[in-house]
Structures are given as C-alpha cells and as structure tokens.
Amino acid sequence: MIKIYRNFTAYFIFVIPALLLYITFYLTPLFNSLHYSVTSWNGINEPVFNGFDNFAKALTDEKFWVAFKNNLYFVAFSVFVQIPLIIVISIMVSSVKRFLGFYKLTVFLPSILSTASVAIIWKFIFAPEAGLLNQLLKGIGLESWTHIWLGDKSVAFLAVLVTNAWQWTGFYIVLVLAGIFAIPKEIMEAGEIDGAVGWRKAWSLTIPLIRPVIGVTLLLSVTGAMKALDTVLIMTKGGPFGSTELMATYMYKQAYSLSDFGYANAISIVITIFTALLSLFLTFFNNKSKEVSY
Amino acid sequence: MKKQALLATVALVALAGCTGKNAESTASSPSNPSSPAVSPKNEAEKVAKAESFTMVLRHINIRETAKPTLKLLEEVVKKTEQDVPGLKFTLDGVEDTVNRNVKLKAEMASGSQPPIFNLFGGADTQNYAKAGRLLALNDIMAEVGIKDSFFDLREFTVDGKIYGLPETGYIEGFFYNKKLFEETGIQVPKTWDDLMTAMEKLRAKGITPLAMGAGAGDAWVANMLVNSMFVALGGPELQDGFAKGTTKWTDPAVVETFKRIDDMKKKKYIDPNVLGLGFAEGQANFYTGKAAMLFDGSWAVNAIVGEKSTVKDSTGFFRFPDTGGKGDGYLNGGWSNGYGFSAALKDNEKKAVKTFIKNFYSLDNQKRTLVETNQIPAMKGVKDVQGANELIKSIGEQQGSAKGAYPAFDALVQPNVKITLETTIQELLGGQIKPEAAAERMQKTQESANAAGK
C-alpha cells in the first residue's frame, strides 16, 4: 500500500477523473464568462472585444449599485436577524424532551420545497386583496397595517427577505442542532453542576462550543445571500422600482431582457469576486477565533 | 501489476475515444447528406432510417385559456404525421415569455433551436435571421400556394425574405362590462372626456373602473395603454420617429400621456392594487366582474369567454376613444406572433415542415381560429363566420372601422428603451416620479440607445 502512495502514476490516474470534471464544469464556464465579459455580445451574433467597457459601465451604473446595496442588506439580514434566530430556536428545540423528531421535521420542511413553490406560496400570502396576510390583518382589526406587499417600495424587500428566511431557516436549524447534540454530555453536566442553567448555560457553554457550526452557517447563508436570485425573480422581478433588485437578478435582466450578454457576464464576474472576498474574510475571521476542542 | 493497470487504463481511454467518435459520425452524417465520404451503403441505411423520425414542435399554448388553440394545433400535427410517413412530432409547450426571452434565445445562440417553434416578428426575427438560424419561406409559400394569402408579413420580412408566418392577428382596445355600464347609466365612450366621465361615475359607485395588473415583470400591460394614448395624441409618426431621432419622448403628446396616466391612478380609475398584481390577476378582476373595463389585446377574448368568466355574454369592445389628436381612429394591431422554422433541417424534416405549413395555414383553419379560438385571422378571405362569438365579431367591426393599424412601440425602439419605459411607468403608477421627469428620462435613454446604435 505504502508503495502506491509514492507512485506518481497512480496519483495521476486517480486525480484525472476529478480534474476533468472540475475543468469541464468549473473552470471552463468561468473562463467562458471571463471571455464574454470583455466583449459586446447579444447572445447570437459574434462577440466583439471591447476591453473593460463592461466593468466600467458597472461602476457607473446606478441601478447596479442599488442591486449591490440590496445584496448587502440581504447579507446583513442573514447575519443579524436570521442567524441569531436560528441559534435561539435551535437551543430551544434541543432542550425539548419529547417529539424532538417532530420539531426537527416541521422546521426542516420548507427546505425540501423548491424555491419556485416557496416563492409562489408566499406570493399568494402577500397578494393585495385575497392574500392571507392582509386578510389576517383585517380580521384582527389592523386594517391600517395592510399593504400591497409586493408592490410597495417600503415593504417589498422585507417580504422577499422573510420568504427566503422562511425557506432556509429550518435547514440551518438542523445543522446547528447536530452541532449541539455533538457536544459531549459530560461538559454540559459539569456546567450544570457549576450552576449554568437556562439561558446562562446557552450563552456561556452551548454557543461557544458550537462556534464552528455557526461559522459554517454564517458562510453558507452569506454566500447564499450573495447569489440569491430565484425568489426575487418569481416574486417581484426586482420591482417595484428596482427596490428588490439583486445583483444576480440584474445580471439576469441584462442577459435575457436586454440581450446584453457581455455586460451580464461582467456582472457575474463582479458577483464572483465579491462573494469570494466575503467568504475569504469570513474564513479568516473563523480561523482567528479559537478552535473548539472538547 | 503496475503495468497491467496502466494497460487497462489505456485500453479504456482508447475505447472511450472510439465510441465517442462513432457517436459523432452517426450524429453528423444525416445532417450533412452531401458529404462525399458517405458510402452508398450508408446512403441506403439512411433511407431506411428516414422512414421514422421525430421532430420537436415548440408551441406556447399551455394556459387553460389556450386549450382551443392547442386542440387545433394537435389536429394539424396528427394530419401532418399521416401525410409524411415515419414522422412523429414531439409537442413542446413552453410559457410564452420564457420561450421568447430565455429558451429560444439560448437555443438560437447555440444553434440548437427546434425545427418548428413559436416566433415573434420584429427584432427577434431580424436577429435570428441575421445569425442564419431561420429558414426563408418564400419558395415554400409559393409551392404551397399561400404567397399572397396573408394580411401583413412586415414583421417577419428581413431583406425581402419571409422568415415566419403569423398564426393570428391582434388589436388592442377597451373591453367593457355591458351590465355594469347599464347599471351605472353610461354609454360607450366616443371621446376621451366621455371615458373620463364614465370612469368617474363608476368609481363613485364603488366599482373599479379599469382593471390592470402591471406589477413585477408585467409593466408591459400598462404600456399597452400608454402606447395607444401617445399615438392617439401624437399620431403613429411619433413612435416611428423615436429611434430615428425625428421625434422625442419629451414631445407634448408623450408628456400629456404620462400626465393622464398619473391622473387616472390618482383618481383611482386604475385599480389601486395595480403594482401588486400580475397580468393574469388584473385580467381576472375584469372577467369576474369586479372591474368595469379592461385595456387589453384581442388575445384576452379567450379568457373573457372562458369557463371561469362571469361576463361571458355581457362584454363589449370599443376602440381607443378620440382625443382630438393626430392619431384618432388608428388602433394598435398587427400580426406579430406565429411560427418560424430552423434553417438547419435535413431533407425529410424540410418536407415535414412544408407539409406542416400546408396543413396549418389553410383558410379553413383560419376560420376555425376565429370561431373556435376567438382570435383574429392572419390570412385574407375568411368568410361566412357563423358561430363566431359576438365579442370577436364586434372586435372585427372595430378593426374594420378603424383608419389603420400601427405596430406596438417596442417593435420600433431598442430593447433598453422598452425596459426603461416599463420601470418608468411603474414608478409613475406608484407616484415615484413626475410625468415631466419621466419623459425626460425616456428621452435620455432613447438618445443614448440611438447613439450606441449608430
């Protein structure tokens, strides 16, 4: 066996399939995109090289920056609202003694639906007249709180965020729960004997011990927020007045509504770069914080 | 042992290479019949193969309301399959905007478009024709004998060649609920002032005067009305001139249009939920009797006389009322949607296409289109339309009494201008922008689009 480890040909043979897949499905599209990002191309005729025009256009394109800001709001919502909520719910569910499976299943359920169905379900909920939310508000006498949710600039983005959160929270909860259950019982018991109970136990024991899982959750939800597209595309198409536009939906519009595939590719490269930077930053941050060992 | 393993891999790779090559050669040979390398034996094989082949037919008749249209298509498909031995069609139904903006576009880019597909005239046809993806139909039309049968093939003609055939035509105008009009005591409006008075009366009675769903990606719904209004005020030459630079979006007719839209929204003549509804939801508010009027194209008839409709027998249609402007009496209409065919066809497929065209584009089918699917024919000479729906008949009358028709503005301006008008009109409906500022923004976009095109 040891001999094989040192055998270069063997390495080569085993690496090739994976490498081929990687080149075909990751590198080629990326380089294709890079190639088209420096051209002016309507998707059908021959692309024409135009240098960095597309990137320059992105820098001065107000609408792109609105979309960029919205992506940042999306990230902020994930980090400061969604993740704390996920941790709180996870800790609560983890201390449930009976029907644990039931709770796990119910929180996880939305994640198994396709984004398209989730977006359509919530579109119905947010519908102006027949929608569940407005009906409910009217029913409990809060008529003044009703909105044309997806057609009103002040609330449309929030509506989208809630929809997205509803779909993915369960997935992360199951992830965090697994982390909580992986903590050795002795540590928790020792903590309890020392007087750490309830929220104090959660704050000083559970949360520090599941930090690596939280790190992963953070990374996943941030990168998810950067590439979000489907929910918005189905619910609002970036409207009203661009208030829910994200970088990815803006890219989609440039490509498929305006046939400006060169610019769309440039935007996709910008998204890739921003997402890579963010994840690098997060990984760096994660590594900086102390490793947890039991 | 090491050697063996290596040998095995080499053999595997060689084998994979072989099969790959084989697959390629079988795939490419039929599409390249003139290739000199083809031996007589292969030729014989091909004849045998030609006896059974399948062709994809992309259509957009997937909505509930498009069922009669689909039925007609299916019958033509069946007949064509009988006429061409060995032919089997695969019907591929795709939602129209998805087909138009995403699927067909991607296929056209890679040259993998289906042999027969739903095609829009205007910019789409021009782009695809320039890229050499579309089959020129002049010869086939002459052979089948329908060279001069169509009302108008302008939108499908590029440099004298015809690249698509419209299935039906359309006109746009106001549908109105006769019952609600009667109850409110209003007549069919002849002038803009009549229309405004009617809307005021309806609103006072608590009825939504004009149904409209122009939220999310459906701003084009509002733009139909905008388009008809600025042409009524400024004449068809107004929109002809945008891309040429001879007229401007800041011309009084456009500014006045934006003002009137703004005014209608403020007075709640247009459904207050307009930005929260999609096209179909807006339409539904009309055909379930909640709103008194609907500005839409004649394609809406199917929904209005459909199963879910409560206004089946009480809907009328009137042209855009007179405004005192240059475009009075004209209406927005055309023949812009139909079928196109791939330029990359094998001989047997070309034969199938010819037969399909012969079977599909017949006067008999056009008559059925009118009577059964409630749409305006694309071919001349449809007579004796007994059994046609009253509504479609009155649409025909309105069409007949018009001075002329003009195409939708988006066939004349750059895509970016169209998209900008969509977001701008949503902002106008949402009270986010003043009419004058909207006009200025449109003109700016038009100028930069014109500059980029030159």
Side-chain angles (χ1 to χ4, degrees):
Chain A
M1 280 313 275
I2 301 296
K3 232 172 134 191
I4 290 189
Y5 283 151
R6 289 197 213 118
N7 186 337
F8 195 72
T9 330
Y11 270 121
F12 199 63
I13 290 168
F14 283 112
V15 163
I16 275 184
L19 200 64
L20 278 180
L21 285 175
Y22 183 71
I23 290 172
T24 322
F25 294 108
Y26 290 89
L27 292 186
T28 318
L30 189 64
F31 278 100
N32 261 337
S33 193
L34 265 176
H35 165 216
Y36 289 128
S37 70
V38 290
T39 63
S40 136
W41 184 40
N42 70 359
I44 298 158
N45 300 333
E46 279 299 302
V48 183
F49 179 76
N50 67 355
F52 288 99
D53 281 10
N54 291 327
F55 292 94
K57 189 174 165 191
L59 285 180
T60 53
D61 187 346
E62 263 174 59
K63 284 188 192 146
F64 173 74
W65 288 107
V66 169
F68 177 72
K69 244 194 323 200
N70 279 342
N71 265 106
L72 291 187
Y73 288 144
F74 213 120
V75 169
F77 184 83
S78 295
V79 173
F80 297 110
V81 181
Q82 214 182 330
I83 294 201
L85 203 70
I86 287 165
I87 295 171
V88 169
I89 297 178
S90 305
I91 290 173
M92 275 160 60
V93 172
S94 73
S95 56
V96 166
K97 295 282 183 290
R98 299 173 70 188
F99 305 122
L100 181 64
F102 171 76
Y103 285 111
K104 265 197 200 169
L105 181 74
T106 39
V107 294
F108 190 66
L109 216 52
S111 314
I112 60 170
L113 296 172
S114 80
T115 319
S117 351
V118 170
I120 288 170
I121 291 170
W122 281 83
K123 220 176 143 178
F124 283 130
I125 293 176
F126 289 127
E129 265 168 20
L132 181 69
L133 185 58
N134 277 352
Q135 295 279 1
L136 211 69
L137 288 171
K138 273 180 205 161
I140 55 173
L142 289 172
E143 187 133 15
S144 59
W145 288 24
T146 58
H147 278 98
I148 306 166
W149 295 96
L150 298 175
D152 185 335
K153 194 172 103 175
S154 58
V155 285
F157 196 50
L158 187 69
V160 170
L161 288 177
V162 167
T163 307
N164 189 65
W166 182 81
Q167 183 181 13
W168 293 114
T169 304
F171 173 76
Y172 295 124
I173 287 178
V174 171
L175 214 65
V176 174
L177 266 179
I180 295 177
F181 289 132
I183 302 171
K185 270 213 170 76
E186 300 82 50
I187 297 182
M188 298 308 257
E189 277 165 9
E192 272 164 36
I193 289 165
D194 287 342
V197 280
W199 288 114
R200 188 171 166 86
K201 179 173 86 173
W203 185 249
S204 353
L205 268 178
T206 320
I207 292 177
L209 287 174
I210 57 167
R211 193 175 284 166
V213 182
I214 295 176
V216 170
T217 313
L218 208 60
L219 190 69
L220 284 177
S221 71
V222 167
T223 50
M226 287 303 283
K227 58 185 190 191
L229 156 104
D230 29 17
T231 315
V232 169
L233 219 51
I234 293 167
M235 290 178 75
T236 63
K237 292 243 167 51
F241 334 128
S243 60
T244 60
E245 196 84 84
L246 298 173
M247 283 196 286
T249 57
Y250 193 59
M251 170 195 83
Y252 182 90
K253 258 187 201 166
Q254 291 297 330
Y256 293 110
S257 308
L258 294 168
S259 291
D260 194 346
F261 284 82
Y263 187 36
N265 274 300
I267 295 175
S268 80
I269 297 291
V270 174
I271 297 175
T272 313
I273 293 170
F274 276 130
T275 314
L277 284 178
L278 256 176
S279 4
L280 263 179
F281 170 75
L282 278 174
T283 325
F284 177 74
F285 192 70
N286 261 346
N287 290 347
K288 272 272 172 174
S289 65
K290 257 189 284 160
E291 249 332 290
V292 178
S293 55
Y294 309 126
Chain B
M1 185 183 154
K2 186 180 117 196
K3 215 173 185 179
Q4 252 175 8
L6 205 66
L7 260 175
T9 338
V10 170
L12 261 175
V13 170
L15 211 72
C18 271
T19 44
K21 225 182 212 164
N22 278 345
E24 205 174 70
S25 65
T26 42
S28 67
S29 65
S31 66
N32 196 4
S34 58
S35 150
V38 179
S39 70
K41 197 183 154 213
N42 276 355
E43 206 72 31
E45 261 174 28
K46 217 187 299 153
V47 173
K49 257 188 198 159
E51 273 179 9
S52 109
F53 63 106
T54 52
M55 278 170 79
V56 175
L57 195 162
R58 165 83 43 76
H59 66 90
I60 56 170
N61 310 316
I62 56 162
R63 284 180 217 270
E64 183 76 25
T65 49
K67 267 192 178 155
T69 317
L70 181 62
K71 191 179 144 238
L72 189 70
L73 178 67
E74 279 169 348
E75 284 178 29
V76 169
V77 159
K78 217 168 164 193
K79 183 159 191 301
T80 310
E81 283 174 347
Q82 282 165 1
D83 292 352
V84 181
L87 169 65
K88 187 100 189 79
F89 275 114
T90 311
L91 289 187
D92 179 22
V94 177
E95 202 269 332
D96 48 359
T97 45
V98 172
N99 175 56
R100 186 181 181 183
N101 293 337
V102 184
K103 200 160 183 189
L104 193 60
K105 232 179 221 179
E107 287 166 341
M108 285 288 175
S110 64
S112 60
Q113 67 277 12
I116 303 176
F117 45 86
N118 188 277
L119 177 72
F120 271 82
D124 287 12
T125 297
Q126 279 166 23
N127 277 337
Y128 301 153
K130 273 180 202 151
R133 302 277 190 256
L134 296 177
L135 183 70
L137 302 170
N138 301 46
D139 295 344
I140 294 179
M141 286 171 73
E143 205 184 315
V144 179
I146 52 168
K147 207 168 60 137
D148 302 311
S149 303
F150 290 87
F151 281 110
D152 187 352
L153 294 171
R154 209 168 18 172
E155 297 200 41
F156 289 101
T157 309
V158 184
D159 299 331
K161 285 189 178 149
I162 297 156
Y163 290 100
L165 297 173
E167 189 181 357
T168 59
Y170 77 92
I171 61 167
E172 288 171 13
F174 285 95
F175 293 90
Y176 69 99
N177 186 327
K178 286 179 184 167
K179 237 187 248 159
L180 289 179
F181 265 46
E182 243 167 62
E183 283 168 20
T184 321
I186 40 185
Q187 302 288 318
V188 174
K190 289 264 183 308
T191 66
W192 182 258
D193 291 337
D194 289 351
L195 182 66
M196 288 301 109
T197 323
M199 288 204 176
E200 182 58 41
K201 278 187 185 158
L202 286 161
R203 196 192 57 92
K205 268 194 86 184
I207 301 163
T208 307
L210 185 63
M212 190 185 282
D218 288 343
W220 60 271
V221 178
N223 283 352
M224 288 193 286
L225 182 62
V226 171
N227 192 174
S228 290
M229 211 187 290
F230 66 60
V231 172
L233 291 165
E237 58 276 16
L238 176 74
Q239 61 171 6
D240 287 336
F242 288 145
K244 294 177 199 148
T246 52
T247 55
K248 289 195 169 80
W249 287 91
T250 44
D251 287 354
V254 182
V255 178
E256 178 62 23
T257 299
F258 288 165
K259 274 187 185 156
R260 288 186 182 183
I261 295 282
D262 186 42
D263 190 47
M264 283 166 79
K265 176 71 200 311
K266 277 190 187 139
K267 288 183 174 154
K268 298 201 169 136
Y269 294 168
I270 296 174
D271 190 332
N273 293 323
V274 56
L275 291 176
L277 302 173
F279 165 59
E281 293 161 299
Q283 228 182 26
N285 276 343
F286 176 76
Y287 66 65
T288 52
K290 283 185 203 138
M293 280 179 267
L294 171 77
F295 190 83
D296 210 335
S298 49
W299 56 75
V301 174
N302 262 336
I304 290 168
V305 301
E307 278 169 31
K308 285 181 196 137
S309 171
T310 60
V311 297
K312 250 177 254 187
D313 306 314
S314 56
T315 298
F317 181 89
F318 61 91
R319 261 194 347 244
F320 199 89
D322 288 349
T323 57
K326 277 193 232 165
D328 280 348
Y330 286 91
L331 50 79
N332 186 332
W335 291 266
S336 53
N337 187 211
Y339 285 98
F341 308 89
S342 169
L345 290 180
K346 298 166 206 159
D347 282 347
N348 52 2
E349 289 178 335
K350 210 166 177 178
K351 204 176 137 203
V353 160
K354 209 182 289 171
T355 318
F356 174 80
I357 290 178
K358 197 178 108 205
N359 290 339
F360 190 81
Y361 292 99
S362 68
L363 266 187
D364 195 37
N365 276 345
Q366 288 286 313
K367 191 168 144 186
R368 285 184 59 191
T369 300
L370 182 77
V371 177
E372 288 169 28
T373 76
N374 304 310
Q375 296 185 83
I376 296 175
M379 293 168 82
K380 292 180 256 185
V382 175
K383 280 185 214 116
D384 184 27
V385 287
Q386 268 179 7
N389 183 283
E390 282 304 314
L391 180 56
I392 196 78
K393 273 192 202 158
S394 74
I395 289 178
E397 279 160 24
Q398 292 288 308
Q399 185 189 21
S401 68
K403 266 195 222 161
Y406 56 89
F409 81 101
D410 56 353
L412 304 165
V413 299
Q414 297 84 343
N416 197 13
V417 178
K418 172 186 172 239
I419 300 281
T420 309
L421 186 61
E422 286 179 1
T423 49
T424 306
I425 220 67
Q426 282 185 334
E427 286 181 38
L428 195 68
L429 288 170
Q432 300 284 314
I433 193 169
K434 291 257 162 1
E436 294 81 5
E440 267 159 40
R441 181 203 288 171
M442 286 310 302
Q443 182 54 23
K444 244 192 193 161
T445 312
Q446 184 71 59
E447 276 164 18
S448 69
N450 288 356
K454 272 169 199 163

